[in-house]
Amino acid sequence: MIKVGIAGVTGYTGIELVKLISNHPKTKLCSVSSNSYKGKALTEVFPSMRGFETLICEDLDGPPLSGKLDVIFLALPHKISMQHVPGLLGNHIKVIDLSADFRFSDASAYESAYQEHTAKHLLKKSVYGLSEIYRDKIKAAKLIGNPGCYPTSILLPLIPLLKENLIQPSGIISDSKSGVSGAGRSLSLSSHFCEVNESFGPYKIGNHRHTPEIDEILSIQSGQKISITFVPHLLPITRGMLSTIYVQAKEHTTESRIREVYAAYYEKEPFIRILQKNAFPAISHVKGTNACDIGLHFCEETHQIILVSAIDNLLKGAAGQAVQNMNIMFGLKEDLGLNSVQVPL
Amino acid sequence: MIKVGIAGVTGYTGIELVKLISNHPKTKLCSVSSNSYKGKALTEVFPSMRGFETLICEDLDGPPLSGKLDVIFLALPHKISMQHVPGLLGNHIKVIDLSADFRFSDASAYESAYQEHTAKHLLKKSVYGLSEIYRDKIKAAKLIGNPGCYPTSILLPLIPLLKENLIQPSGIISDSKSGVSGAGRSLSLSSHFCEVNESFGPYKIGNHRHTPEIDEILSIQSGQKISITFVPHLLPITRGMLSTIYVQAKEHTTESRIREVYAAYYEKEPFIRILQKNAFPAISHVKGTNACDIGLHFCEETHQIILVSAIDNLLKGAAGQAVQNMNIMFGLKEDLGLNSVQVPL
Amino acid sequence: MIKVGIAGVTGYTGIELVKLISNHPKTKLCSVSSNSYKGKALTEVFPSMRGFETLICEDLDGPPLSGKLDVIFLALPHKISMQHVPGLLGNHIKVIDLSADFRFSDASAYESAYQEHTAKHLLKKSVYGLSEIYRDKIKAAKLIGNPGCYPTSILLPLIPLLKENLIQPSGIISDSKSGVSGAGRSLSLSSHFCEVNESFGPYKIGNHRHTPEIDEILSIQSGQKISITFVPHLLPITRGMLSTIYVQAKEHTTESRIREVYAAYYEKEPFIRILQKNAFPAISHVKGTNACDIGLHFCEETHQIILVSAIDNLLKGAAGQAVQNMNIMFGLKEDLGLNSVQVPL
Amino acid sequence: MIKVGIAGVTGYTGIELVKLISNHPKTKLCSVSSNSYKGKALTEVFPSMRGFETLICEDLDGPPLSGKLDVIFLALPHKISMQHVPGLLGNHIKVIDLSADFRFSDASAYESAYQEHTAKHLLKKSVYGLSEIYRDKIKAAKLIGNPGCYPTSILLPLIPLLKENLIQPSGIISDSKSGVSGAGRSLSLSSHFCEVNESFGPYKIGNHRHTPEIDEILSIQSGQKISITFVPHLLPITRGMLSTIYVQAKEHTTESRIREVYAAYYEKEPFIRILQKNAFPAISHVKGTNACDIGLHFCEETHQIILVSAIDNLLKGAAGQAVQNMNIMFGLKEDLGLNSVQVPL
């Protein structure tokens, strides 16, 4: 059994990880930490999480975890993660970091969007954990920068089309919509029930921190500088994310060619499903799963392609992909612990 | 007092009209009809609508309304409207039709999106009821084709920029999101609570009937053939609509020029509000009002403009704009009965 | 015009008062205060509240309001209200206090549920603002303790039956359910969207502060000590409240007698509606109105009565009843500014 | 592997059964039927149900299932179930019926609440599937009448207290609240999103069909005629159910005695959790699980007991308890396939 730790266990991503690791046939949850609920049992903090009456939230700055863990998931705020990673790696614990701290290979891109990076030397070792695209590197990695939820929903449909030269690299637009759990469990007027309920709107137009993350990966993958237009919106639902992406096809591109390329990249992927013509994703089709559904509309006349992708922001957009990466790192079947059947409600 | 009738009174637009006409200082509600609830009092059908215990839903095919009404609002399904309009006009009753039947000046555009038009001769007389844009024609009109909700949210931000030659006429994209009341009160699996709640997704990509309506008006207004990309999505909320619109500025366009043009067109409009830099609309900011809020992001580098507009689909998107049009037709102050203060919840 | 001030204007009750006072034909909003948003325009704080671009939130501890106001609504937290009331009354400003500070005639009952009362001498002058029951006293009052939302929903159906000796005074149970706006706009994990949404449950069983308020009024009205069982629950909706009340009829009581008594008390009341047999209230039937709907089921066999009452917690349960009380205090028609037609969505 | 069939697979209970049976380590889903979607693959009907692209919905009246199945779950409307059960039993297929048809031992009680019973002779053989209470009979049963959701939430907290003579058998009140999925997937105005959303109210006061079911079981269990007051309400959420139950303790009853009795009955039950003093259930604590949480408030003064129970109406209230019963019938560990960890959102 793989010995697993989870840091930042009392956030929404943290408990999602507890669920996945507990239901996983090859892992054992050995240690959890929480800054806000130190000393409390997890079931005390979340009465719905039954069976954890004796799993006590520890202090991450407590006694060293060396020897106790094979891998640790860090569901911590950015900046906090980078403080712990060097020590953990030094103790021979593999790290899957769900913050933004190790997603960038370019420290200056990170620093312009976030703050000073205090563990820059590790950026070269860290692997971007977009499982389907970076699988080979993930296998050998000791440190994973797990992708953001918005980037996951945008990169998966775009990368194959860009790499195979089917679409214009400029003018890409992603109109994205996320459930409230994406903003975490900390208190804010923008997560107050009465402010969110029965409303909807965009936020951070032109300056969301996920934009440089998306741009960096698209640029690396396509071999040219790409800069997309990204507009996030807040949906009055708890979980789920959907991106409607507008791109321009190249002259020679046809719908059947696009479908061929998607099939080549994703046909054997357990978590990616390319929908048939005229079928489009909905959040209820992926909620509770690690799946990414992708739908496609190609306009013959204008050569415009509309891509629609849907994921569960807490699963394929966070904890689910993190466990998928753990499976890859430890040589397990990739969908282990992630393939249970879900209903749409 | 203006004597008012409402046909199709037991739909969501119908009761919204009852509310507006009842709260209006210059109108008297004289007659309501409903196909589904003939003979029932309105309060019986909608217990929340108190004060209408004796307002009985009549049969629209009943005794002629001649002399009884000055104006009638038709909140009927398309195809049904066009059957009644000729008779109503013949009886010297002004008609504000909220179906699609009289929105098109081009009968073939209508027929390709809907069905055969049986009152084509009236299309020339009918005026498209986008109040701020067609005010002068509305003043003299006897028949109004009241705009669709999606078209209203898209046309109001776009028309000034197109007419003043500030944006490219091609490549316009509107990613639009609507509450469930837009689909009406009739039963459908796609309006079932459990199918909509906690979900979100696009529908009718590439073939929504509002696209030709939008294209026709934009083409007329700009003097050139325009064809936009329009993707509607269903929001799990009761009312409200938001469109995120992506357009390309012309070479010479600047943000201050855009703001000047908007000011020229809309500064004195009681229902249109152009938001300041970095402020964007949300559905809760317009819900319950006849307002259209418009926010704007201009990217200097790429010359892309992102416009965000929000309306209440049942008010500025239907019943509210219809009453605004009635005010114009009868020479009343345009915001009469439409200017009460609303809270965001 | 009556010159009106509102203190605590940026809470949910505060903005509801702004709406009502602004839409009221006989009042002028002259001053608003807010502790959290001093110096900001109301429209800046709530973009949906258009028309208040120059209404600046003042400091309640600022320059004296003497002469400027005829009446002030205090939408302040309890304890804060009692600090301001003596000064306001001294300046000849009538006070309608929406906190709990002046609801009790018995200071010790207040102090056991809340904290020390620092203006006890005013408790004798203050009138409990349950409009339909205390109308005569309200007419002459200078200080109103506006009822809590739960008490309003429970007292209105119970008082006539208790006073007319139709029900047992013991064993009364109210199973009550409230929307989230009842908890106010301040931040708390229990108002976080993801914690409330798609959930439901009771809270503060056995020790909610509204219980002594309900008990005091029922005891005064019935002339005997009454102590009810009150269980509040949190509904995942923004506004609205429904109480299902279980009482035991006295031997001689019949359904027709109950209906006679309700008719005698409430038939002419503009805001109270007794529903017909087999019809029951729903929150959507009263949302947005100052109404209280009451439904009734009488079991012949067991002599049990089930009463169901519904109100909008922010209107009849707070701001609406406060304005109703102002109308009474100033000799206006009681439903002035409160009688606009509303739709259920 | 146990060979399983599911009839009525395209309702909300049906797909929940598909999920449970597919995720269960000892069962194989061999056959599904649907009246509405005959010939379609399950994934076609529910895109979220991936992995069932070749599981075709059959006609229940098609070729005999004899030999193909060990057990069948009937998620059919009442009346339809009783038509199929005799044939299925004749083919040596065990039946777990989720309709009301085999819940009653007294045919006349069934017939007064539903309609004529056409398989009365089987009522004596059928076992009421309240797992924790009827476990011994379930072990040997060939036909299970799986309990209703409301009865499950009410019976589990009450039975121990009644059997141990701790509470008065008269005057029991259950104020119950259910999510919309309880009403099924068929179309009805009362399940229309806009009618349910942001509302709440009671329905069928005094004549809900679950009342006789509850009364029959309570009477059998306590050995005396019991008739409770049951008021169901509709919550604007998809899944979950909570009952707040008011009972009167007997003279000698104490809180510690109640807790002893609950411990004796339920301490070892995997799915029942008695909450500590001052802790109460919420729907989010049980959603997605087969659990029943029970909270308890005992008032020393009045000897009133308030019980609060919460279940997931589609799991412990339907499909989950049905699978629990299957586990019992086939000698499996009772929580097999039902014990995965869930998060509250």
Side-chain angles (χ1 to χ4, degrees):
Chain A
M1 299 293 270
I2 301 164
K3 288 171 286 176
V4 176
I6 300 169
V9 74
T10 51
Y12 293 138
T13 303
I15 56 170
E16 201 71 31
L17 283 163
V18 171
K19 178 190 87 175
L20 294 174
I21 292 302
S22 302
N23 294 338
H24 192 288
K26 295 289 185 192
T27 57
K28 187 168 156 37
L29 182 55
C30 297
S31 160
V32 299
S33 77
S34 162
N35 193 39
S36 324
Y37 297 94
K38 263 174 239 176
K40 294 215 166 180
L42 192 64
T43 303
E44 206 179 338
V45 185
F46 293 101
S48 66
M49 308 285 289
R50 55 201 67 223
F52 302 101
E53 288 78 4
T54 59
L55 186 73
I56 306 299
C57 296
E58 297 168 27
D59 185 345
L60 187 54
D61 295 314
L65 296 161
S66 168
K68 281 182 60 181
L69 300 180
D70 298 311
V71 63
I72 190 164
F73 294 90
L74 304 184
L76 301 169
H78 55 82
K79 192 172 181 181
I80 308 296
S81 266
M82 63 171 108
Q83 297 166 9
H84 291 94
V85 168
L88 290 162
L89 291 177
N91 279 323
H92 305 293
I93 298 170
K94 292 180 182 178
V95 176
I96 299 173
D97 178 29
L98 290 96
S99 86
D101 286 357
F102 297 94
R103 291 180 193 159
F104 288 77
S105 51
D106 177 358
S108 65
Y110 175 88
E111 295 189 332
S112 68
Y114 296 87
Q115 71 275 299
E116 199 200 341
H117 203 298
T118 61
K120 284 196 193 76
H121 61 292
L122 292 174
L123 289 180
K124 266 182 216 124
K125 294 192 180 172
S126 76
V127 173
Y128 190 68
L130 190 64
S131 315
E132 286 77 9
I133 304 300
Y134 289 97
R135 184 174 284 129
D136 287 341
K137 289 190 170 181
I138 294 166
K139 274 180 194 165
K142 294 199 161 46
L143 169 57
I144 299 288
N146 212 62
C149 46
Y150 283 121
T152 298
S153 77
I154 295 168
L155 294 170
L156 287 174
L158 282 178
I159 286 174
L161 306 190
L162 274 169
K163 288 189 75 162
E164 302 304 321
N165 197 30
L166 296 180
I167 57 175
Q168 303 291 350
S170 66
I172 298 174
I173 294 168
S174 182
D175 189 288
S176 299
K177 301 91 178 173
S178 171
V180 184
S181 61
R185 201 171 177 237
S186 48
L187 298 182
S188 141
L189 196 54
S190 59
S191 298
H192 189 297
F193 184 84
C194 301
E195 307 282 320
V196 173
N197 187 37
E198 295 295 292
S199 189
F200 176 77
Y203 62 101
K204 292 193 186 163
I205 295 186
N207 67 346
H208 193 286
R209 283 164 162 182
H210 281 175
T211 315
E213 180 182 335
I214 298 163
D215 287 350
E216 187 183 73
I217 302 298
L218 289 182
S219 300
I220 291 169
Q221 287 288 321
S222 68
Q224 58 194 307
K225 176 105 192 78
I226 289 190
S227 180
I228 76 160
T229 297
F230 166 57
V231 179
H233 301 72
L234 186 66
L235 280 169
I237 64 175
T238 296
R239 58 198 294 164
M241 169 170 284
L242 188 136
S243 289
T244 312
I245 305 169
Y246 303 87
V247 297
Q248 203 57 34
K250 294 222 164 161
E251 274 294 307
H252 59 276
T253 304
T254 60
E255 178 164 350
S256 62
R257 180 68 190 128
I258 298 172
R259 293 192 173 276
E260 273 171 36
V261 162
Y262 273 143
Y265 275 72
Y266 291 143
E267 200 164 48
K268 290 182 181 156
E269 290 297 339
F271 297 120
I272 301 191
R273 181 167 58 169
I274 306 299
L275 305 186
Q276 291 183 308
K277 206 178 170 75
N278 294 324
F280 291 94
I283 281 176
S284 64
H285 299 171
V286 298
K287 199 170 49 167
T289 80
N290 195 48
C292 176
D293 272 8
I294 300 173
L296 153 70
H297 177 81
F298 182 77
C299 179
E300 302 279 353
E301 243 173 286
T302 61
H303 260 225
Q304 186 188 47
I305 304 172
I306 302 172
L307 301 167
V308 185
S309 69
I311 61 171
D312 184 317
N313 60 309
L314 295 176
L315 288 166
K316 186 62 180 170
Q321 186 155 248
V323 169
Q324 185 180 357
N325 287 331
M326 178 197 74
N327 286 342
I328 298 173
M329 291 163 89
F330 287 85
L332 302 174
K333 196 155 169 294
E334 198 163 321
D335 67 351
L336 216 59
L338 295 168
N339 57 1
S340 67
V341 173
Q342 297 294 332
V343 292
L345 57 158
Chain B
M1 300 292 270
I2 301 166
K3 289 171 286 176
V4 175
I6 300 169
V9 73
T10 52
Y12 293 138
T13 304
I15 55 170
E16 201 72 31
L17 283 164
V18 170
K19 179 190 86 176
L20 294 174
I21 292 302
S22 302
N23 294 339
H24 193 288
K26 296 288 185 193
T27 56
K28 186 168 156 39
L29 182 55
C30 297
S31 161
V32 299
S33 77
S34 162
N35 193 39
S36 323
Y37 296 95
K38 263 174 239 176
K40 294 215 168 180
L42 192 65
T43 302
E44 207 180 336
V45 184
F46 293 100
S48 65
M49 307 286 288
R50 54 199 68 222
F52 302 101
E53 287 79 4
T54 59
L55 186 72
I56 305 302
C57 296
E58 297 167 28
D59 186 345
L60 187 54
D61 295 314
L65 295 162
S66 168
K68 283 183 59 181
L69 300 180
D70 297 313
V71 62
I72 190 164
F73 294 90
L74 303 185
L76 301 170
H78 55 81
K79 192 172 181 181
I80 308 296
S81 266
M82 63 170 108
Q83 296 166 10
H84 290 94
V85 168
L88 290 161
L89 291 177
N91 279 324
H92 305 292
I93 299 170
K94 291 181 182 177
V95 176
I96 299 172
D97 178 29
L98 290 98
S99 86
D101 285 357
F102 296 95
R103 291 180 193 158
F104 288 77
S105 50
D106 177 357
S108 64
Y110 175 88
E111 295 190 333
S112 68
Y114 295 87
Q115 71 275 299
E116 200 202 339
H117 203 299
T118 61
K120 283 196 192 76
H121 60 292
L122 292 174
L123 290 180
K124 266 182 216 124
K125 294 191 180 173
S126 76
V127 172
Y128 189 68
L130 192 64
S131 315
E132 286 77 10
I133 304 300
Y134 289 97
R135 184 174 285 129
D136 287 340
K137 289 191 171 181
I138 294 167
K139 274 180 194 165
K142 295 200 159 44
L143 170 59
I144 299 289
N146 212 62
C149 45
Y150 283 122
T152 297
S153 78
I154 295 168
L155 293 171
L156 286 173
L158 283 178
I159 286 173
L161 307 190
L162 274 170
K163 287 188 77 163
E164 303 303 321
N165 197 30
L166 296 180
I167 57 174
Q168 303 291 349
S170 66
I172 298 173
I173 294 168
S174 181
D175 190 288
S176 299
K177 303 88 176 173
S178 171
V180 184
S181 61
R185 202 173 175 233
S186 47
L187 299 181
S188 141
L189 197 53
S190 59
S191 298
H192 189 297
F193 184 84
C194 301
E195 307 280 321
V196 172
N197 186 38
E198 295 295 291
S199 189
F200 176 77
Y203 62 101
K204 291 193 187 162
I205 296 186
N207 68 347
H208 193 285
R209 284 164 161 181
H210 280 175
T211 314
E213 180 183 334
I214 299 163
D215 287 350
E216 189 184 71
I217 302 298
L218 288 181
S219 301
I220 290 169
Q221 287 288 322
S222 69
Q224 58 193 307
K225 177 105 194 77
I226 289 189
S227 178
I228 77 160
T229 297
F230 166 57
V231 179
H233 301 72
L234 185 66
L235 281 169
I237 64 175
T238 296
R239 57 197 296 163
M241 169 169 285
L242 189 136
S243 289
T244 312
I245 305 170
Y246 303 87
V247 296
Q248 203 57 33
K250 294 222 164 161
E251 274 294 308
H252 59 277
T253 304
T254 60
E255 178 164 350
S256 62
R257 180 68 190 129
I258 299 173
R259 292 192 173 274
E260 273 171 36
V261 162
Y262 273 144
Y265 275 72
Y266 292 143
E267 201 163 45
K268 291 182 181 157
E269 290 297 340
F271 298 119
I272 301 191
R273 182 165 58 170
I274 305 299
L275 305 186
Q276 292 183 307
K277 206 177 169 77
N278 293 325
F280 291 94
I283 281 177
S284 64
H285 299 172
V286 298
K287 200 171 49 165
T289 80
N290 195 47
C292 177
D293 271 8
I294 300 173
L296 152 70
H297 177 81
F298 182 78
C299 179
E300 302 279 352
E301 240 174 288
T302 61
H303 259 226
Q304 187 188 45
I305 305 172
I306 303 172
L307 301 167
V308 185
S309 69
I311 60 171
D312 184 317
N313 61 309
L314 294 176
L315 287 166
K316 186 62 180 170
Q321 185 154 249
V323 169
Q324 186 180 358
N325 287 330
M326 179 198 73
N327 286 341
I328 297 172
M329 292 164 89
F330 287 85
L332 302 174
K333 195 154 169 291
E334 198 163 322
D335 66 351
L336 215 61
L338 295 168
N339 57 0
S340 66
V341 172
Q342 297 294 333
V343 293
L345 58 159
Chain C
M1 298 295 268
I2 300 166
K3 288 171 285 177
V4 176
I6 300 169
V9 73
T10 52
Y12 294 139
T13 303
I15 54 168
E16 201 70 32
L17 283 163
V18 171
K19 177 189 87 176
L20 294 174
I21 293 303
S22 302
N23 294 338
H24 193 288
K26 297 287 184 192
T27 56
K28 185 168 157 38
L29 182 55
C30 298
S31 160
V32 299
S33 77
S34 162
N35 193 39
S36 325
Y37 297 94
K38 262 173 244 176
K40 294 215 167 180
L42 192 64
T43 301
E44 206 180 338
V45 186
F46 292 101
S48 66
M49 308 285 290
R50 55 199 67 222
F52 302 101
E53 287 78 5
T54 59
L55 186 72
I56 305 300
C57 296
E58 299 167 27
D59 185 344
L60 187 54
D61 295 314
L65 295 161
S66 169
K68 281 183 59 181
L69 300 180
D70 299 311
V71 62
I72 190 163
F73 294 89
L74 304 184
L76 301 169
H78 56 82
K79 195 173 179 182
I80 308 296
S81 266
M82 62 171 110
Q83 297 167 9
H84 290 94
V85 169
L88 290 162
L89 291 177
N91 279 325
H92 305 292
I93 298 170
K94 292 182 181 177
V95 176
I96 298 174
D97 178 30
L98 290 95
S99 86
D101 285 357
F102 296 95
R103 292 180 192 158
F104 287 77
S105 50
D106 178 357
S108 65
Y110 176 88
E111 295 190 332
S112 69
Y114 295 86
Q115 71 275 299
E116 201 201 339
H117 203 299
T118 60
K120 284 198 192 75
H121 61 292
L122 291 174
L123 289 180
K124 267 183 214 121
K125 293 192 179 172
S126 77
V127 172
Y128 189 68
L130 191 64
S131 315
E132 286 77 9
I133 304 299
Y134 289 97
R135 185 174 286 129
D136 288 340
K137 289 190 171 181
I138 293 166
K139 275 180 195 165
K142 295 200 160 45
L143 170 57
I144 299 289
N146 211 62
C149 47
Y150 283 122
T152 297
S153 79
I154 295 169
L155 294 170
L156 286 173
L158 282 177
I159 286 174
L161 306 190
L162 273 170
K163 287 189 77 163
E164 302 303 322
N165 198 30
L166 295 181
I167 58 173
Q168 303 291 350
S170 68
I172 298 173
I173 293 167
S174 182
D175 189 289
S176 298
K177 302 90 178 173
S178 172
V180 183
S181 61
R185 200 170 177 238
S186 47
L187 298 182
S188 143
L189 197 53
S190 59
S191 298
H192 189 297
F193 184 84
C194 301
E195 307 280 319
V196 172
N197 186 38
E198 294 296 292
S199 189
F200 176 78
Y203 62 101
K204 292 194 186 160
I205 296 186
N207 68 346
H208 193 285
R209 284 163 162 182
H210 281 175
T211 315
E213 180 183 336
I214 299 163
D215 287 350
E216 188 183 71
I217 302 298
L218 288 182
S219 300
I220 290 169
Q221 286 288 323
S222 68
Q224 58 194 306
K225 176 105 194 76
I226 289 189
S227 180
I228 77 159
T229 298
F230 167 57
V231 179
H233 301 73
L234 186 65
L235 280 169
I237 64 176
T238 296
R239 58 198 294 164
M241 169 170 285
L242 188 137
S243 290
T244 312
I245 305 169
Y246 303 88
V247 297
Q248 203 55 35
K250 294 223 163 159
E251 274 294 306
H252 59 275
T253 304
T254 60
E255 179 165 351
S256 62
R257 180 68 191 128
I258 299 171
R259 293 193 173 273
E260 273 171 35
V261 163
Y262 273 143
Y265 276 72
Y266 291 143
E267 201 164 45
K268 292 181 181 157
E269 290 297 342
F271 298 120
I272 302 191
R273 182 166 59 170
I274 306 299
L275 304 187
Q276 291 184 307
K277 207 179 169 77
N278 294 324
F280 291 94
I283 281 175
S284 63
H285 298 172
V286 298
K287 201 171 45 166
T289 80
N290 195 47
C292 176
D293 273 7
I294 300 174
L296 152 70
H297 177 81
F298 182 78
C299 179
E300 302 279 352
E301 243 174 285
T302 61
H303 261 225
Q304 188 189 45
I305 305 172
I306 302 171
L307 301 166
V308 184
S309 69
I311 61 171
D312 185 315
N313 61 308
L314 294 177
L315 287 166
K316 186 63 180 169
Q321 185 155 248
V323 169
Q324 186 180 359
N325 287 331
M326 178 199 73
N327 286 342
I328 297 173
M329 292 165 88
F330 287 85
L332 302 175
K333 196 153 170 293
E334 198 163 322
D335 65 351
L336 216 60
L338 295 167
N339 56 1
S340 68
V341 172
Q342 298 292 334
V343 293
L345 56 160
Chain D
M1 298 294 268
I2 301 165
K3 288 169 288 177
V4 175
I6 300 169
V9 74
T10 52
Y12 293 139
T13 304
I15 55 169
E16 201 71 31
L17 284 163
V18 170
K19 178 189 85 175
L20 294 173
I21 292 302
S22 303
N23 294 338
H24 193 288
K26 295 289 185 192
T27 57
K28 186 169 158 37
L29 182 55
C30 298
S31 159
V32 299
S33 78
S34 162
N35 193 39
S36 324
Y37 297 93
K38 263 174 241 176
K40 294 214 166 178
L42 193 64
T43 301
E44 206 180 338
V45 185
F46 292 100
S48 65
M49 308 285 290
R50 54 199 68 223
F52 301 102
E53 287 78 5
T54 58
L55 186 72
I56 306 299
C57 296
E58 298 168 27
D59 185 345
L60 188 54
D61 295 314
L65 295 160
S66 169
K68 283 183 57 182
L69 299 180
D70 298 311
V71 61
I72 190 164
F73 294 90
L74 304 184
L76 301 170
H78 55 81
K79 194 173 178 179
I80 308 296
S81 266
M82 63 170 109
Q83 297 166 10
H84 291 95
V85 167
L88 290 162
L89 291 177
N91 279 325
H92 306 291
I93 298 169
K94 292 181 183 179
V95 176
I96 299 174
D97 178 30
L98 290 97
S99 86
D101 286 357
F102 296 95
R103 292 179 192 159
F104 287 77
S105 51
D106 177 357
S108 65
Y110 175 88
E111 295 190 334
S112 69
Y114 295 86
Q115 71 275 298
E116 201 201 338
H117 203 297
T118 60
K120 284 196 192 76
H121 62 289
L122 293 174
L123 290 180
K124 265 182 216 125
K125 294 191 179 171
S126 77
V127 172
Y128 189 69
L130 191 65
S131 316
E132 287 77 9
I133 304 299
Y134 289 96
R135 183 174 285 128
D136 288 341
K137 288 189 172 183
I138 294 166
K139 275 180 194 165
K142 295 199 159 48
L143 170 58
I144 299 290
N146 212 63
C149 46
Y150 283 122
T152 297
S153 78
I154 295 168
L155 293 169
L156 287 173
L158 283 178
I159 286 173
L161 307 190
L162 273 170
K163 288 189 77 163
E164 302 304 322
N165 197 29
L166 295 180
I167 58 173
Q168 303 292 349
S170 66
I172 298 172
I173 293 167
S174 181
D175 190 288
S176 298
K177 301 89 177 174
S178 172
V180 183
S181 61
R185 202 171 175 237
S186 48
L187 299 182
S188 142
L189 197 53
S190 58
S191 298
H192 189 296
F193 184 84
C194 301
E195 308 280 320
V196 172
N197 186 38
E198 294 295 293
S199 189
F200 175 77
Y203 62 100
K204 291 193 187 163
I205 296 186
N207 67 347
H208 193 285
R209 282 163 163 182
H210 281 175
T211 315
E213 180 182 336
I214 298 163
D215 287 350
E216 189 183 72
I217 302 299
L218 288 181
S219 300
I220 290 169
Q221 286 288 324
S222 69
Q224 57 194 308
K225 176 104 195 78
I226 288 190
S227 180
I228 77 159
T229 297
F230 166 57
V231 179
H233 301 72
L234 186 65
L235 281 169
I237 64 175
T238 296
R239 57 197 296 163
M241 169 169 285
L242 187 136
S243 290
T244 312
I245 305 170
Y246 303 88
V247 297
Q248 203 55 34
K250 293 220 164 163
E251 273 295 306
H252 59 275
T253 304
T254 60
E255 178 163 351
S256 63
R257 180 68 190 127
I258 298 171
R259 293 192 172 276
E260 274 171 36
V261 162
Y262 273 143
Y265 275 73
Y266 292 143
E267 201 164 47
K268 291 180 182 159
E269 290 297 340
F271 298 119
I272 301 192
R273 180 165 60 168
I274 306 298
L275 305 186
Q276 291 183 308
K277 205 178 171 75
N278 294 324
F280 292 94
I283 281 176
S284 64
H285 299 172
V286 298
K287 201 170 46 165
T289 81
N290 195 46
C292 176
D293 272 8
I294 299 173
L296 153 70
H297 176 81
F298 182 78
C299 178
E300 301 279 354
E301 242 173 285
T302 61
H303 260 226
Q304 187 189 45
I305 305 171
I306 302 172
L307 301 166
V308 185
S309 69
I311 61 172
D312 184 316
N313 60 309
L314 294 177
L315 287 166
K316 186 62 179 171
Q321 185 155 249
V323 169
Q324 187 180 356
N325 287 331
M326 178 199 73
N327 286 342
I328 298 173
M329 292 163 88
F330 287 85
L332 302 174
K333 195 153 171 295
E334 199 163 321
D335 66 352
L336 215 61
L338 295 167
N339 57 1
S340 67
V341 173
Q342 297 294 332
V343 292
L345 56 160

